[in-house]
Amino acid sequence: MSYDARIEPMRDLYDVLLEVRKPARYIGGEAHSPAPCDVDDPRLKVALSFPDLYEIGMSNNAIRIIYSILNEKYKDVVCERVFAPAPDFEKALIEKRIPLYTLESGIPLCRTDVLAFSVGYELLATNILTILERGYVPLLNEERSDGDPIVIAGGPAITNPAPFSHFIDAVWIGEAEEGFADILVQLANLKKMGATRAEKIYMLSAHQSIWISHYTNKKYEIAPKKRVVRSVFTHFPTQEREIQFPLSVLNPVHSHGSVEIMRGCPNGCRFCHAGYYYRPQRAKPRHIIENEVRKLIEQYGYREITLSSLSSGDYPGISELFDELNAEWADQKISFQLPSLKVESFTLPLLEKMAEVRKSGLTFAIETPLDSWQCAINKRVPFESVVNILREAKLKGFRSAKFYFMIGLPIPEQGMREAEEIVKYIETIALIARISLHVNVGTFIPKPHTPFERERQLSEEEALECLTYIKKSLRHLKNVEVSYHSPFLSLIEGIISRGDESISDLIIRAYQRGTRLDAWDEYVNKEAWKEVLTEYDAQRGEGAWKKCIEKREENEVLPWHTISLRVSKTWLNKEKIKSQQSILSLTCSENCTDLCGVCTKFSRVVSNSILHNNSQSSEVLLANNDKDVEETVTQGQSDSKSTVCRKLRHFISPEPEEATSIKIVALWSKNEHAIMYPLHDVSNSIIKSLQITGIPLAYTQGYNPQPKLELSPPLPLGVSGENELAILWCSTHSSRVDEFKEYLIDKKKIVLECINDHLPRGLYFKNFKVSTNKNQKATIGSLFDAATWTYQFASEYSFKTAVDILGNVAHEYAEVKIEPSSFTLHLIEPFVGASGKSKSFFKELKLKFSELQILSRDIRAIRSSCFGTEGTFRRELYELL
């Protein structure tokens, strides 16, 4: 295949997709995706990647932000996504000789202008190499020429760029919102003028926040910079973020919406790299947060929203914010989560608010159990507070809690003594709290740009001894489950985190030995890593790689010495001394008396002052929204999609005890890309689309309320459904049932358009009705007993083979019809529910075709319609429900 052509996965990789795990990872077509562009589009083509599997990358908030800000520059820049292939799909790409491509347009990566990576953790390093090589981009930057993309990385895990230096051209240090899009616009202008790769790299090198690889500098004879300074997004507290991002088809690892309520952290935990990378603390005003929440619910269909920050409990007025959000959204069963609560800010009233809709488990990042050790790392977690919270949580219906600890922190008792104290702590908590405890223990990794950047890291053997002791010692407690992060992977992470340029070659050798997806237990190749570490020592002397994890001398020049996160080295040294003396530091504030060097007149802490600057309270926003809806209804404004959606939301009943459930039956189809979607993900996509449309869904009762939706029995991957069924239950106030039904039917055409606007490619709602079946409890599963199937074949050979197979089993099917002229079979298959076995001709075909090595693309299987039985007559199930 020519690299000049777009890659169309459903055409070029159809047979492969049916054989790999989760083929939806590789086909694109998600709702809200921008229109495809051409390989020769004159704009700057950017392939943006979080270098992990699709469901990880689609969860990443940084990718959503960068994707949005780059596509705002659509006149000059087109930004598309690419993620790491799993080994089965990577193998298929190699065998088919097809390069890895972007999801939106199928552009081979070697035909893009910029390949940009957001690096969230060090173990993504070999995934970057996978994406480069599978995209036909030269691995080594010194081998790239004018026709190759510029490879740029950024993110918190690459503030020491040295270990990435041989395969990354440039690194953006800091927050992308502060100028990264402008830099790419400059690259776009250079492209229009026909600039060479060297001229583009030279332009990048002039920016104060861009680090250029030693190898790239050498290739283009660019003098290395003495200092690269982190970019800080100064407008974070005042700018409302407009996220434009495709709706994930596969359920992401983190399937909730995320609103960043605060960036940076006031607490200054001495081990926390993120706390220094995102300084200073900047909080958003409440009205901006409320607007962003509303967009995630109404435009993206999220039902769980994370109020995200490094320490959400330190957001000023967090309890009041929760009150306002619950007041607005609780009736729609929208829940809000705080992922990182400092125990001292975890009040019992706040706990009660978190329990109002959905009782997710509690999380306590204790880190280390003893008070003096907590002072050493500048993170106090009072034991009494934890106990009080757990006792109250149990009364509120919470069933579980997670505890996070670290071993190997830079304290005098480092190692086994830490493990012993963690065991004592959990044993005491387990006796007092008596709820399920999930304990996770990790190995501390000293990170660059923190007060602990020169400390030693436990060896794999030391860490494993401690972790094994903890797990074994807590085995007798039935309500305690212990897990730990692999100490070997922590070792690799530590090597990459603090290594020099020679580690870049080590990573490349590990990749060439087969390491991939190192953060995944099922994929990590420990033996390959050990081999290259042994070879590294053979070349550089015994124990060479161990220098990366050993204690660094005070006068030693560190590999990241040219990178400044704006925190002064003097201040970091003061913090290290305080740690040795177990002295706590004050939290950051707007009236700081212990300057670290980050705050300037342009970049400063924004915290309590936001409480006095809310330009619009939530009460005003709510009142205006209700007023707008009422005006729309009473004044008879045009029936735009947005108007109909807002009116539908107005039927949501805030009093569940006075609500009535209405049964809606829908007819939908599953074709094109959607034949690669599993049923669970089809269901999630439909629910999101219904929620965005404003349909007032009814919910189940209990611990974790879910929308009430039933779909036709699942189809195998690769099979189309022309007239599939869905039952959804809506809920509105009893006094408005007739009004709701009339409005829904009256606006059916617009409602269907709205639903289809937010469905991924291949899913399509064709029709719906309000059920008139007197038995409102009738379900698809209780009535479905047969389906019409059509099988179309691409060749005479495959058709005749199928006819021969059918000849042996035709008696098991009804109304068999053979059309030789079009290579088509029609038949009715009986369906038996979970209690019995259904006969499937498709399975018979797949099995025999596989034996005969007939390609999957030679069969197109379609479930044409579904039937139920009424008395002695078979009727379309849509008519029966």
Side-chain angles (χ1 to χ4, degrees), residues 214-228:
H214 159 74
Y215 298 97
T216 305
N217 279 332
K218 184 177 179 181
K219 179 181 175 72
Y220 297 114
E221 298 180 345
I222 299 172
K225 276 190 285 197
K226 294 181 179 178
R227 191 167 183 258
V228 179

PDB file of all heavy atoms in Angstrom, residues 214-228:
ATOM      1  N   HIS A 214      20.122  16.531  22.494  1.00  0.00           N
ATOM      2  CA  HIS A 214      21.545  16.668  22.169  1.00  0.00           C
ATOM      3  C   HIS A 214      21.830  16.193  20.747  1.00  0.00           C
ATOM      4  O   HIS A 214      22.567  16.822  19.986  1.00  0.00           O
ATOM      5  CB  HIS A 214      22.376  15.862  23.180  1.00  0.00           C
ATOM      6  CG  HIS A 214      23.742  15.505  22.693  1.00  0.00           C
ATOM      7  ND1 HIS A 214      24.765  16.423  22.597  1.00  0.00           N
ATOM      8  CD2 HIS A 214      24.263  14.319  22.261  1.00  0.00           C
ATOM      9  CE1 HIS A 214      25.848  15.823  22.134  1.00  0.00           C
ATOM     10  NE2 HIS A 214      25.577  14.545  21.926  1.00  0.00           N
ATOM     11  N   TYR A 215      21.201  15.072  20.367  1.00  0.00           N
ATOM     12  CA  TYR A 215      21.448  14.506  19.042  1.00  0.00           C
ATOM     13  C   TYR A 215      20.863  15.395  17.946  1.00  0.00           C
ATOM     14  O   TYR A 215      21.442  15.547  16.870  1.00  0.00           O
ATOM     15  CB  TYR A 215      20.846  13.101  18.965  1.00  0.00           C
ATOM     16  CG  TYR A 215      21.457  12.150  19.953  1.00  0.00           C
ATOM     17  CD1 TYR A 215      20.858  11.897  21.183  1.00  0.00           C
ATOM     18  CD2 TYR A 215      22.667  11.498  19.676  1.00  0.00           C
ATOM     19  CE1 TYR A 215      21.417  11.024  22.097  1.00  0.00           C
ATOM     20  CE2 TYR A 215      23.242  10.623  20.586  1.00  0.00           C
ATOM     21  CZ  TYR A 215      22.612  10.397  21.795  1.00  0.00           C
ATOM     22  OH  TYR A 215      23.185   9.548  22.706  1.00  0.00           O
ATOM     23  N   THR A 216      19.710  15.989  18.224  1.00  0.00           N
ATOM     24  CA  THR A 216      19.094  16.892  17.253  1.00  0.00           C
ATOM     25  C   THR A 216      19.908  18.182  17.129  1.00  0.00           C
ATOM     26  O   THR A 216      20.120  18.701  16.031  1.00  0.00           O
ATOM     27  CB  THR A 216      17.649  17.210  17.666  1.00  0.00           C
ATOM     28  OG1 THR A 216      16.926  15.982  17.824  1.00  0.00           O
ATOM     29  CG2 THR A 216      16.945  18.049  16.619  1.00  0.00           C
ATOM     30  N   ASN A 217      20.348  18.726  18.269  1.00  0.00           N
ATOM     31  CA  ASN A 217      21.226  19.910  18.239  1.00  0.00           C
ATOM     32  C   ASN A 217      22.466  19.653  17.401  1.00  0.00           C
ATOM     33  O   ASN A 217      22.876  20.479  16.576  1.00  0.00           O
ATOM     34  CB  ASN A 217      21.641  20.284  19.667  1.00  0.00           C
ATOM     35  CG  ASN A 217      20.584  21.083  20.389  1.00  0.00           C
ATOM     36  OD1 ASN A 217      19.794  21.791  19.773  1.00  0.00           O
ATOM     37  ND2 ASN A 217      20.552  21.004  21.715  1.00  0.00           N
ATOM     38  N   LYS A 218      23.063  18.491  17.640  1.00  0.00           N
ATOM     39  CA  LYS A 218      24.300  18.152  16.932  1.00  0.00           C
ATOM     40  C   LYS A 218      24.055  18.018  15.425  1.00  0.00           C
ATOM     41  O   LYS A 218      24.836  18.520  14.604  1.00  0.00           O
ATOM     42  CB  LYS A 218      24.858  16.840  17.498  1.00  0.00           C
ATOM     43  CG  LYS A 218      26.207  16.433  16.913  1.00  0.00           C
ATOM     44  CD  LYS A 218      26.711  15.158  17.590  1.00  0.00           C
ATOM     45  CE  LYS A 218      28.043  14.720  17.005  1.00  0.00           C
ATOM     46  NZ  LYS A 218      28.532  13.465  17.637  1.00  0.00           N
ATOM     47  N   LYS A 219      22.932  17.378  15.054  1.00  0.00           N
ATOM     48  CA  LYS A 219      22.615  17.161  13.643  1.00  0.00           C
ATOM     49  C   LYS A 219      22.449  18.483  12.911  1.00  0.00           C
ATOM     50  O   LYS A 219      22.907  18.646  11.768  1.00  0.00           O
ATOM     51  CB  LYS A 219      21.328  16.327  13.536  1.00  0.00           C
ATOM     52  CG  LYS A 219      20.866  16.041  12.110  1.00  0.00           C
ATOM     53  CD  LYS A 219      19.571  15.222  12.136  1.00  0.00           C
ATOM     54  CE  LYS A 219      19.006  15.013  10.741  1.00  0.00           C
ATOM     55  NZ  LYS A 219      19.787  14.062   9.949  1.00  0.00           N
ATOM     56  N   TYR A 220      21.799  19.457  13.579  1.00  0.00           N
ATOM     57  CA  TYR A 220      21.491  20.726  12.916  1.00  0.00           C
ATOM     58  C   TYR A 220      22.402  21.869  13.380  1.00  0.00           C
ATOM     59  O   TYR A 220      22.136  23.030  13.076  1.00  0.00           O
ATOM     60  CB  TYR A 220      20.021  21.085  13.139  1.00  0.00           C
ATOM     61  CG  TYR A 220      19.081  20.077  12.525  1.00  0.00           C
ATOM     62  CD1 TYR A 220      18.255  19.300  13.325  1.00  0.00           C
ATOM     63  CD2 TYR A 220      19.041  19.897  11.143  1.00  0.00           C
ATOM     64  CE1 TYR A 220      17.397  18.362  12.759  1.00  0.00           C
ATOM     65  CE2 TYR A 220      18.188  18.963  10.566  1.00  0.00           C
ATOM     66  CZ  TYR A 220      17.375  18.195  11.381  1.00  0.00           C
ATOM     67  OH  TYR A 220      16.531  17.260  10.818  1.00  0.00           O
ATOM     68  N   GLU A 221      23.441  21.526  14.125  1.00  0.00           N
ATOM     69  CA  GLU A 221      24.452  22.495  14.571  1.00  0.00           C
ATOM     70  C   GLU A 221      23.816  23.664  15.325  1.00  0.00           C
ATOM     71  O   GLU A 221      24.059  24.833  15.032  1.00  0.00           O
ATOM     72  CB  GLU A 221      25.263  23.000  13.368  1.00  0.00           C
ATOM     73  CG  GLU A 221      26.029  21.887  12.653  1.00  0.00           C
ATOM     74  CD  GLU A 221      26.834  22.401  11.470  1.00  0.00           C
ATOM     75  OE1 GLU A 221      26.574  23.546  11.033  1.00  0.00           O
ATOM     76  OE2 GLU A 221      27.707  21.675  10.989  1.00  0.00           O
ATOM     77  N   ILE A 222      22.948  23.301  16.305  1.00  0.00           N
ATOM     78  CA  ILE A 222      22.292  24.295  17.151  1.00  0.00           C
ATOM     79  C   ILE A 222      22.957  24.276  18.522  1.00  0.00           C
ATOM     80  O   ILE A 222      23.145  23.206  19.116  1.00  0.00           O
ATOM     81  CB  ILE A 222      20.788  23.984  17.298  1.00  0.00           C
ATOM     82  CG1 ILE A 222      20.109  24.014  15.917  1.00  0.00           C
ATOM     83  CG2 ILE A 222      20.113  24.969  18.241  1.00  0.00           C
ATOM     84  CD1 ILE A 222      18.672  23.522  15.935  1.00  0.00           C
ATOM     85  N   ALA A 223      23.324  25.429  19.014  1.00  0.00           N
ATOM     86  CA  ALA A 223      23.980  25.507  20.329  1.00  0.00           C
ATOM     87  C   ALA A 223      22.974  25.140  21.418  1.00  0.00           C
ATOM     88  O   ALA A 223      21.853  25.664  21.441  1.00  0.00           O
ATOM     89  CB  ALA A 223      24.522  26.910  20.572  1.00  0.00           C
ATOM     90  N   PRO A 224      23.324  24.219  22.330  1.00  0.00           N
ATOM     91  CA  PRO A 224      22.387  23.834  23.409  1.00  0.00           C
ATOM     92  C   PRO A 224      22.112  25.005  24.340  1.00  0.00           C
ATOM     93  O   PRO A 224      22.983  25.851  24.590  1.00  0.00           O
ATOM     94  CB  PRO A 224      23.118  22.700  24.130  1.00  0.00           C
ATOM     95  CG  PRO A 224      24.561  22.863  23.770  1.00  0.00           C
ATOM     96  CD  PRO A 224      24.607  23.492  22.423  1.00  0.00           C
ATOM     97  N   LYS A 225      20.893  25.055  24.856  1.00  0.00           N
ATOM     98  CA  LYS A 225      20.509  26.126  25.780  1.00  0.00           C
ATOM     99  C   LYS A 225      21.020  25.838  27.181  1.00  0.00           C
ATOM    100  O   LYS A 225      21.084  24.686  27.606  1.00  0.00           O
ATOM    101  CB  LYS A 225      18.982  26.278  25.809  1.00  0.00           C
ATOM    102  CG  LYS A 225      18.450  27.139  24.687  1.00  0.00           C
ATOM    103  CD  LYS A 225      16.983  27.473  24.888  1.00  0.00           C
ATOM    104  CE  LYS A 225      16.124  26.274  24.583  1.00  0.00           C
ATOM    105  NZ  LYS A 225      14.715  26.641  24.365  1.00  0.00           N
ATOM    106  N   LYS A 226      21.348  26.897  27.887  1.00  0.00           N
ATOM    107  CA  LYS A 226      21.804  26.740  29.268  1.00  0.00           C
ATOM    108  C   LYS A 226      20.646  26.519  30.230  1.00  0.00           C
ATOM    109  O   LYS A 226      20.815  25.947  31.302  1.00  0.00           O
ATOM    110  CB  LYS A 226      22.600  27.978  29.696  1.00  0.00           C
ATOM    111  CG  LYS A 226      23.903  28.156  28.932  1.00  0.00           C
ATOM    112  CD  LYS A 226      24.664  29.382  29.419  1.00  0.00           C
ATOM    113  CE  LYS A 226      25.979  29.549  28.663  1.00  0.00           C
ATOM    114  NZ  LYS A 226      26.712  30.765  29.104  1.00  0.00           N
ATOM    115  N   ARG A 227      19.451  26.982  29.849  1.00  0.00           N
ATOM    116  CA  ARG A 227      18.316  26.888  30.778  1.00  0.00           C
ATOM    117  C   ARG A 227      17.007  26.831  29.991  1.00  0.00           C
ATOM    118  O   ARG A 227      16.780  27.610  29.074  1.00  0.00           O
ATOM    119  CB  ARG A 227      18.303  28.103  31.713  1.00  0.00           C
ATOM    120  CG  ARG A 227      17.343  28.002  32.884  1.00  0.00           C
ATOM    121  CD  ARG A 227      17.682  29.111  33.880  1.00  0.00           C
ATOM    122  NE  ARG A 227      16.849  29.052  35.071  1.00  0.00           N
ATOM    123  CZ  ARG A 227      15.800  29.847  35.297  1.00  0.00           C
ATOM    124  NH1 ARG A 227      15.478  30.773  34.405  1.00  0.00           N
ATOM    125  NH2 ARG A 227      15.104  29.735  36.406  1.00  0.00           N
ATOM    126  N   VAL A 228      16.174  25.860  30.351  1.00  0.00           N
ATOM    127  CA  VAL A 228      14.823  25.733  29.799  1.00  0.00           C
ATOM    128  C   VAL A 228      13.848  25.930  30.949  1.00  0.00           C
ATOM    129  O   VAL A 228      13.972  25.294  31.996  1.00  0.00           O
ATOM    130  CB  VAL A 228      14.611  24.348  29.149  1.00  0.00           C
ATOM    131  CG1 VAL A 228      13.195  24.218  28.613  1.00  0.00           C
ATOM    132  CG2 VAL A 228      15.641  24.114  28.051  1.00  0.00           C
TER     133      VAL A 228
END
